[in-house]
Amino acid sequence: VLDRDGELEGMLVANSAAIWGSVSADLYCSVIKLHAGCAVKGAAYHEVLILHKDAYFEGKSRRFPNPQAIAPA
């Protein structure tokens, strides 16, 4: 969980992510939820991507059955 004041840069590898804050990173998560007010720039590798109204996403989105397995080491 990344709250409204949170910031993340680089890479995130997790089972799920709920984002309200600012992200400049590649995401490798089975479930990604981008909530209203978030700002996400980067690539999203996922099984499920939920984009709420007023969420900002700039980048690419790719579905994979196990996105954590393709994350760089």
Side-chain angles (χ1 to χ4, degrees), residues 8-63:
L8 171 70
E9 290 187 16
M11 180 174 61
L12 173 64
V13 181
N15 186 48
S16 65
I19 299 171
W20 281 268
S22 298
V23 174
S24 180
D26 292 339
L27 309 174
Y28 298 86
C29 306
S30 294
V31 178
I32 301 172
K33 296 179 184 178
L34 304 182
H35 293 275
C38 76
V40 176
K41 295 180 183 179
Y45 301 93
H46 56 82
E47 292 180 57
V48 176
L49 175 63
I50 300 168
L51 195 62
H52 289 260
K53 181 180 179 185
D54 296 327
Y56 176 82
F57 175 69
E58 180 179 326
K60 68 178 181 178
S61 166
R62 299 286 184 260
R63 281 186 63 163

